[in-house]
Amino acid sequence: MGISKIDKMHNLSKNQQIIFDLIDKSPEPLKAYTILYNVQKRGIKAPPQVYRALDKLVEMGKIHKIESRNAFIACHNSSCQVDKATAFSICEVCEKVTEISSTGLSKYLANFKDKDGMKYNKYNLEFFGLCKKCRT
Amino acid sequence: MGISKIDKMHNLSKNQQIIFDLIDKSPEPLKAYTILYNVQKRGIKAPPQVYRALDKLVEMGKIHKIESRNAFIACHNSSCQVDKATAFSICEVCEKVTEISSTGLSKYLANFKDKDGMKYNKYNLEFFGLCKKCRT
DNA sequence: TTATAAATGTTATATTATTACATAGTGTTA
DNA sequence: TAACACTATGTAATAATATAACATTTATAA
Ligand SMILES: [Zn+2]
Ligand SMILES: [Zn+2]
Ligand SMILES: [Zn+2]
Ligand SMILES: [Zn+2]
């Protein structure tokens, strides 16, 4: 009990699962201390517990950090297994964040080389604008 | 005295100029509190003075914030007058950061539209990898 | 089993950033 | 000039974000 078979397949520990579930259910990015407040009733009482789980979940590609917001969202892009190639759209009015899943974009960026011929192993892209709702 | 003609043309106030000069001279991104320690001898004594100047300089496009590092670099891209379209390469070993100035990349990203047809007015892209030095 | 690695619990602290309010300078215009 | 609005500055306090350090427990594997 506690951790089911399916959870084990996802390789999530108890704290990781609690924190992932919370982020996954949230319609908006969650900040570390918001997460902390929301999982204290489940026994997670201190920042390091939250940050450790977040770090692992990011490594696994289960969640992504929105750097410009210091907040985390669950990955809903099935092809996105690791934290290597991420792109997001962020509404500057309502703060809605959506993960962008564009083959064209990811191919373009994965193959991008700068002037020095530097090849990258990872990128993060954040677009800012107005979402549909906030545009009208 | 204190603020020269050329500085006025750049519309920098005293604190903005002091802080811009420091960042501009630095070979590496500077963090807000590193800046604070380095300008205390020049009369800037408290965090708000630093953050206010940083905010304005970012608005003007004179400096950029490297979101994944909470650090700031001077803009050396003459076509980059505002904080609207930024791309950087970051070495994960030595933490060297370079602003990428690629017409192809900026055109591609400026014209990128997601599935919902959302048009963006701003983006920030950070590439991670190994710089020339650290690769050998 | 024994060893190893991974995860957890806990306290304290470090780092990054903002609020709030008082004061001073700058430019515009009546 | 005087009045006004606007921008920038100075200062203290505090909020928000993140990590260090160390003890303990749990999971995995030899
Ligand atoms: Zn993803
Ligand atoms: Zn919106
Ligand atoms: Zn620039
Ligand atoms: Zn390097």
Side-chain angles (χ1 to χ4, degrees):
Chain A
M1 71 92 178
I3 298 179
S4 69
K5 273 173 198 166
I6 182 103
D7 293 339
K8 273 193 176 167
M9 281 169 52
H10 286 171
N11 293 313
L12 297 192
S13 71
K14 180 170 137 274
N15 287 1
Q16 288 162 13
Q17 188 70 56
I18 290 169
I19 287 172
F20 175 74
D21 287 345
L22 183 71
I23 296 171
D24 193 40
K25 275 182 216 122
S26 173
E28 60 192 3
L30 293 180
K31 288 168 165 273
Y33 276 72
T34 304
I35 293 168
L36 177 57
Y37 299 141
N38 280 284
V39 297
Q40 282 184 327
K41 64 194 87 168
R42 304 201 58 185
I44 296 174
K45 290 174 185 161
Q49 296 172 286
V50 173
Y51 282 101
R52 283 190 295 228
L54 289 173
D55 287 349
K56 291 292 182 185
L57 290 167
V58 167
E59 267 180 32
M60 294 178 210
K62 302 279 295 176
I63 65 172
H64 300 301
K65 181 172 187 181
I66 309 302
E67 292 287 356
S68 65
R69 300 298 186 261
N70 298 317
F72 299 84
I73 65 170
C75 177
H76 292 114
N77 180 348
S78 58
S79 69
C80 183
Q81 294 302 0
V82 278
D83 181 34
K84 290 283 181 234
T86 48
F88 307 97
S89 83
I90 303 171
C91 176
E92 286 181 306
V93 171
C94 72
E95 291 294 326
K96 178 180 160 65
V97 173
T98 308
E99 186 168 3
I100 294 172
S101 159
S102 159
T103 314
L105 178 64
S106 52
K107 273 189 184 162
Y108 185 90
L109 293 177
N111 293 318
F112 181 79
K113 289 188 185 67
D114 71 6
K115 286 166 182 160
D116 299 332
M118 180 165 166
K119 187 71 163 48
Y120 307 105
N121 57 43
K122 184 173 157 182
Y123 67 78
N124 180 56
L125 171 58
E126 299 182 2
F127 281 107
F128 305 88
L130 294 182
C131 76
K132 234 173 201 170
K133 252 188 188 170
C134 295
R135 215 168 7 184
T136 61
Chain B
M1 70 94 179
I3 298 179
S4 70
K5 271 172 198 165
I6 183 102
D7 294 338
K8 273 193 175 167
M9 282 168 53
H10 287 170
N11 293 314
L12 298 191
S13 71
K14 180 171 137 272
N15 287 1
Q16 288 161 13
Q17 188 70 57
I18 290 169
I19 286 172
F20 175 74
D21 287 345
L22 184 71
I23 296 170
D24 193 40
K25 275 182 216 122
S26 173
E28 60 191 3
L30 293 180
K31 289 170 163 270
Y33 276 73
T34 304
I35 293 168
L36 177 57
Y37 300 140
N38 280 282
V39 296
Q40 283 184 327
K41 64 194 89 171
R42 302 199 60 184
I44 296 174
K45 290 175 184 161
Q49 295 172 288
V50 172
Y51 282 101
R52 283 190 294 228
L54 290 173
D55 287 349
K56 292 291 181 184
L57 291 167
V58 167
E59 268 180 31
M60 293 179 211
K62 302 280 294 178
I63 65 172
H64 301 301
K65 181 172 187 180
I66 309 302
E67 292 287 355
S68 65
R69 299 298 186 262
N70 298 317
F72 300 84
I73 65 170
C75 177
H76 293 112
N77 180 348
S78 58
S79 70
C80 184
Q81 295 301 358
V82 277
D83 183 32
K84 289 284 181 236
T86 48
F88 307 97
S89 82
I90 303 171
C91 175
E92 286 181 307
V93 170
C94 71
E95 292 292 327
K96 178 180 160 64
V97 174
T98 309
E99 185 168 4
I100 294 171
S101 158
S102 158
T103 313
L105 178 64
S106 52
K107 273 190 185 162
Y108 185 90
L109 293 177
N111 292 318
F112 181 78
K113 290 189 184 68
D114 72 5
K115 286 165 181 162
D116 299 333
M118 181 165 166
K119 187 69 163 49
Y120 307 106
N121 58 42
K122 184 173 154 181
Y123 67 77
N124 179 56
L125 172 59
E126 298 182 3
F127 281 108
F128 305 89
L130 294 182
C131 75
K132 234 174 203 170
K133 253 189 187 170
C134 295
R135 214 169 5 183
T136 61

